[in-house]
Amino acid sequence: MVRNTVQRALVYEAVCQLKNHPTAEDIYAWVTTRNPKVSRGTVYRNLGCLAQEGKIRRVPLPNTSDRFDFTLAPHYHIRCIRCGKLEDVQIPYHAEADGQARKATGWDCRGHEIIFEGECPDCKKERNSK
C-alpha cells in the first residue's frame, strides 16, 4: 500500500502547477518554497513513486535530465535544441504504429514515444534579432 504523504502531495502539485515539463530540480525548488524541510531525495523518491503509480509521466530525454508531465494520455513532445524547452505537440497520437512495429520486429510493442527536436519560436526570434 502506498501512503499519500504531504511531501508526495506537494511533489504532485508541483508537476501540475509548473505545467512546463519540469525537471526534478525544478520540482525540488518549487516544493522547498512551500516546505523548506523537504529533502532533494524525498522529491526524487516521490517522483519515482508517482510515475510508477501512473499519476504522472516521466519523459526521459537523451543527454539531459528527465522531465515530468501531468498529462497521462499518449501524446508527443517537441524539445528546443537551444534552450531545452519541452512542450506537447498537438497532433493525433498514432497507436497503429505499435502494431506496425510489432509486425516488423516480432516484439510485443506496448507503446511509443516521439520527441521532435527543433528551435522554439523564442530562440528563433532571438537568433534572428542578432
Side-chain angles (χ1 to χ4, degrees):
M1 181 172 162
V2 177
R3 292 180 357 184
N4 282 325
T5 63
V6 172
Q7 294 90 344
R8 182 159 302 157
L10 273 173
V11 169
Y12 180 75
E13 185 180 353
V15 174
C16 293
Q17 290 294 317
L18 291 171
K19 295 183 182 178
N20 62 351
H21 301 86
T23 65
E25 285 300 312
D26 296 331
I27 294 163
Y28 172 71
W30 189 94
V31 166
T32 56
T33 63
R34 280 129 183 100
N35 184 342
K37 293 182 180 181
V38 176
S39 73
R40 189 175 264 107
T42 296
V43 169
Y44 277 74
R45 189 170 38 262
N46 279 291
L47 284 168
C49 290
L50 288 165
Q52 189 172 11
E53 293 166 13
K55 293 183 178 174
I56 62 172
R57 172 187 290 223
R58 180 186 303 266
V59 182
L61 297 172
N63 305 318
T64 190
S65 301
D66 289 353
R67 303 293 188 86
F68 295 89
D69 194 349
F70 64 91
T71 303
L72 300 178
H75 64 285
Y76 303 121
H77 294 98
I78 189 162
R79 184 177 70 88
C80 180
I81 58 175
R82 292 188 70 206
C83 70
K85 182 187 306 179
L86 186 73
E87 293 183 355
D88 294 342
V89 177
Q90 302 300 322
I91 61 173
Y93 183 81
H94 296 286
E96 67 276 2
D98 299 338
Q100 292 170 345
R102 189 178 301 114
K103 278 184 181 178
T105 65
W107 287 47
D108 184 11
C109 184
R110 298 179 184 180
H112 65 278
E113 299 255 351
I114 294 177
I115 300 174
F116 297 95
E117 291 187 334
E119 190 174 39
C120 74
D122 293 337
C123 287
K124 184 176 178 181
K125 183 178 176 183
E126 180 185 317
R127 183 176 49 79
N128 289 337
S129 70
K130 292 181 180 177

